[in-house]
């Protein structure tokens, strides 16, 4: 049972498939909670196409793909917001591989990528209904903080000081 996490071009077929899976899951969850329905196909296509992921390209961003037993299983992206702060985004694992330690490894790899971009802090936003994500971030040392954006779906904002924390991978 092996996890491999590596950079991936934001516009690769693997990245596109993971973005679609991520967006489908969070969109369906929101619509089911608020409107009692799944995302309509046209809505999904518009939203997936509207966010290319280009902000996750070097030199100011990085998309990472997690593979479990060789198969694409999830993603995480980081992008610089300013000279010292990066944003964590698109953290996702396919449902079938959750609970196998991949989320922690993926976030740790994203933290290392943010450090490599020069970031001292990592911030993220999430929604209230994504309770699993909020629990993960708290467990990994993120603290809830004031809003740093006015995203339509942002309801909770987290921050982590990257200078005073290191992932096990970066200690080797």
């Amino acid at each position: 049972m092996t996890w491999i996490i590596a950079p991936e071009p934001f516009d690769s077929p693997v990245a596109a498939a993971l973005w679609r899976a991520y967006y489908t899951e969070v969109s369906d969850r929101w619509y089911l909670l608020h409107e009692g329905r799944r995302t309509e196909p046209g809505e999904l296509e518009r939203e997936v196409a509207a966010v290319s992921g280009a902000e996750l390209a070097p030199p100011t961003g990085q998309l990472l793909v997690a593979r479990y037993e060789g198969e694409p299983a999830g993603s995480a992206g980081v992008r610089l917001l300013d000279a010292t702060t990066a944003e964590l985004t698109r953290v996702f694992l396919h449902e079938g591989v959750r609970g196998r330690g991949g989320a922690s490894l993926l976030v740790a790899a994203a933290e290392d990528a943010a450090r490599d971009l020069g970031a001292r802090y990592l911030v993220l936003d999430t929604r209230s209904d994504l309770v699993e994500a909020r629990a993960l971030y708290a467990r990994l040392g993120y603290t809830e903080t004031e809003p740093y954006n006015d995203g339509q779906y942002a309801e909770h904002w987290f921050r982590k000081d990257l200078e005073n924390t290191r992932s096990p991978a970066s200690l080797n």
Side-chain angles (χ1 to χ4, degrees):
M1 318 272 185
T2 304
W3 285 100
I4 296 173
I5 300 169
E8 179 82 21
F10 75 91
D11 56 354
S12 76
V14 167
L18 288 166
W19 169 236
R20 177 174 292 284
Y22 165 84
Y23 193 82
T24 299
E25 183 173 322
V26 297
S27 180
D28 278 353
R29 194 164 174 170
W30 191 90
Y31 279 115
L32 285 167
L33 179 66
H34 295 284
E35 296 185 12
R37 66 176 178 88
R38 294 196 179 279
T39 310
E40 294 173 5
E43 291 170 323
L44 178 66
E45 294 309 316
R46 277 191 307 277
E47 294 303 317
V48 166
V51 183
S52 72
E55 70 280 4
L56 304 177
T60 58
Q62 185 68 69
L63 179 67
L64 300 168
V65 166
R67 287 178 169 78
Y68 184 73
E69 295 185 353
E71 293 298 317
S75 65
V78 293
R79 67 181 182 123
L80 286 176
L81 297 179
D82 60 41
T84 63
T85 307
E87 180 180 44
L88 178 62
T89 187
R90 292 194 188 193
V91 178
F92 170 75
L93 285 177
H94 283 296
E95 188 174 0
V97 297
R98 293 177 189 160
R100 300 179 187 186
S104 296
L105 294 172
L106 190 53
V107 172
E111 290 170 1
D112 289 342
R115 284 185 195 93
D116 291 345
L117 293 171
R120 294 175 26 211
Y121 306 98
L122 196 56
V123 296
L124 64 95
D125 68 65
T126 192
R127 297 188 328 228
S128 293
D129 63 304
L130 299 176
V131 294
E132 306 90 343
R134 291 182 13 240
L136 171 70
Y137 300 131
R139 182 170 52 82
L140 296 178
Y142 288 78
T143 56
E144 217 162 328
T145 188
E146 69 283 344
Y148 67 89
N149 66 20
D150 59 357
Q152 179 180 0
Y153 301 106
E155 297 171 319
H156 297 270
W157 296 263
F158 289 85
R159 179 181 176 99
K160 186 172 186 179
D161 180 341
L162 297 176
E163 289 190 322
N164 296 319
T165 59
R166 294 278 175 200
S167 72
S170 46
L171 296 175
N172 294 331

